[in-house]
Amino acid sequence: MKILVTGASGLLGTEICRQLKQDVANEVWAVDNHSRSTTIPPCDRFLELDLTNGANFEQLPLDFDYIYHYAAINGTKNFYERPNQVMWTNMCTDFNMFEFAMLCRTTLKKFVYASSSEVVSDDPETPVKENTDITIKNIHNARWSYRLPKICSENFLANSAIPYVMCRYFNVYGDNSKSGHFLADQIAKIKSGVFEVIGPDETRSFCHVEDAVRATIHMSRAVENELINIGNDREITIMEAAQTIAGAMGHTNPNWTTTPGKAGSTPNRRPDISKLQSVLTDYCPRTFEQGVKEIVDNMK
């Protein structure tokens, strides 16, 4: 199969390419603008392209069987520090990709879209189901610069003729995590001797990228026109997560400085993954402790 992966140098995109290339029958085209990473993932062809520019799509063929669209500016720090750039880039990229997908309609079997748990940030229900209603508090909050394009793009796909699978990811992490993400930022601070935690009482459900991508590829083949939560339903506090990272790095009892979570940061985040597990019955993601140990061991 001929497969296009955008955002291919990012955390999820790199792992998608790696797992897809385990099947020698897959011809993988990888695209990234290298704005946050210079990684070239396992692929048959790599193109450095800015997908906000519609003219660049002329360099791509129109006979892809699958498109995995993962190009976006993400990372919580970016939402707050450059919200307009996040919103403009992600909206432009998504809608350019939707137009391109429609040009591929004679061969396209599935358009796999990377949505986010940020979409359901204000939902008080836990665990969060796919069909939960969405509410937005303080529409002008800079954090929603990432959330709002995801909401718009989910709506577009749900009302389009594009055969899709939308994946809502819940706090994915891995060796390739970038600055602006919790794991990468926490490791960098600890390496510098800074033991600081933001929003220590908030909870998250962290999912290792290998587990998330295995689920993604399976669901992309198994279902159509569905929204799927992808993550780990084991919930821990940010403080517990930070202590796990510090412990794996050899710091057993550091003196932590804590500050409250930023405006809009959700107090709890845990996905309902029963829909995923009803299709991928052996899905059992590793614990955060297991995943962090693997990552820290690889750093040595």
Side-chain angles (χ1 to χ4, degrees):
M1 287 186 293
K2 193 168 185 175
I3 303 170
L4 173 65
V5 181
T6 72
S9 297
L11 173 64
L12 280 158
T14 296
E15 182 62 21
I16 287 170
C17 289
R18 188 189 72 81
Q19 291 193 26
L20 286 172
K21 282 306 299 173
Q22 290 175 351
D23 184 345
V24 295
N26 289 334
E27 178 187 342
V28 177
W29 288 53
V31 171
D32 200 282
N33 67 355
H34 277 176
S35 62
R36 298 181 66 201
S37 170
T38 56
T39 298
I40 296 180
C43 61
D44 296 281
R45 185 165 182 185
F46 180 84
L47 294 173
E48 185 175 338
L49 296 177
D50 176 3
L51 296 178
T52 65
N53 184 347
N56 286 335
F57 285 82
E58 296 176 3
Q59 300 182 51
L60 296 172
L62 300 176
D63 58 347
F64 289 107
D65 297 294
Y66 281 81
I67 295 173
Y68 289 81
H69 175 41
Y70 285 68
I73 299 175
N74 58 14
T76 306
K77 184 178 180 181
N78 293 315
F79 309 162
Y80 290 103
E81 293 184 355
R82 44 185 183 139
N84 288 356
Q85 184 182 1
V86 169
M87 179 176 285
W88 184 87
T89 298
N90 294 356
M91 288 287 286
C92 286
T93 300
D94 281 2
F95 281 88
N96 281 344
M97 283 301 303
F98 298 152
E99 288 186 13
F100 178 73
M102 287 184 276
L103 295 176
C104 297
R105 60 185 176 273
T106 57
T107 61
L108 188 64
K109 295 180 177 66
K110 214 72 59 70
F111 185 97
V112 185
Y113 179 68
S115 190
S116 168
S117 58
E118 282 289 314
V119 167
V120 291
S121 285
D122 288 332
D123 197 312
E125 180 185 357
T126 183
V128 181
K129 294 181 179 292
E130 287 88 352
N131 61 355
T132 189
D133 288 331
I134 293 171
T135 58
I136 301 177
K137 298 175 183 177
N138 183 9
I139 193 71
H140 297 148
N141 187 337
R143 186 184 180 101
W144 306 152
S145 59
Y146 181 76
R147 182 188 188 191
L148 291 172
K150 294 298 184 186
I151 293 173
C152 292
S153 293
E154 280 197 17
N155 183 276
F156 183 94
L157 281 173
N159 293 285
S160 74
I162 300 171
Y164 67 82
V165 174
M166 293 187 281
C167 300
R168 272 193 197 151
Y169 293 100
F170 284 72
N171 296 104
V172 177
Y173 69 96
D175 293 87
N176 199 28
S177 291
K178 302 295 187 297
S179 174
H181 290 269
F182 172 75
L183 180 68
D185 289 350
Q186 206 66 50
I187 288 174
K189 285 191 287 188
I190 292 171
K191 281 183 174 180
S192 300
V194 177
F195 295 90
E196 176 191 36
V197 178
I198 301 172
D201 296 326
E202 295 177 358
T203 67
R204 297 293 184 265
S205 299
F206 294 98
C207 184
H208 194 280
V209 66
E210 290 179 5
D211 299 317
V213 168
R214 172 177 171 260
T216 298
I217 293 174
H218 183 89
M219 298 304 285
S220 73
R221 312 288 169 81
V223 301
E224 182 172 321
N225 296 344
E226 293 281 358
L227 169 64
I228 306 291
N229 285 342
I230 294 185
N232 189 332
D233 60 357
R234 179 175 175 266
E235 191 174 20
I236 62 174
T237 67
I238 294 295
M239 188 73 254
E240 290 171 332
Q243 287 174 333
T244 295
I245 298 166
M249 296 175 68
H251 302 279
T252 55
N253 192 26
N255 183 23
W256 293 98
T257 299
T258 63
T259 56
K262 294 185 177 181
S265 184
T266 185
N268 308 102
R269 181 171 290 161
R270 179 186 172 207
D272 183 322
I273 57 173
S274 57
K275 187 175 181 180
L276 167 60
Q277 290 177 318
S278 71
V279 180
L280 183 57
T281 55
D282 66 345
Y283 180 71
C284 184
R286 71 201 73 184
T287 66
F288 187 64
E289 290 81 3
Q290 291 170 323
V292 168
K293 184 180 184 305
E294 293 171 14
I295 290 167
V296 172
D297 285 347
N298 289 338
M299 290 164 42
K300 295 176 181 177

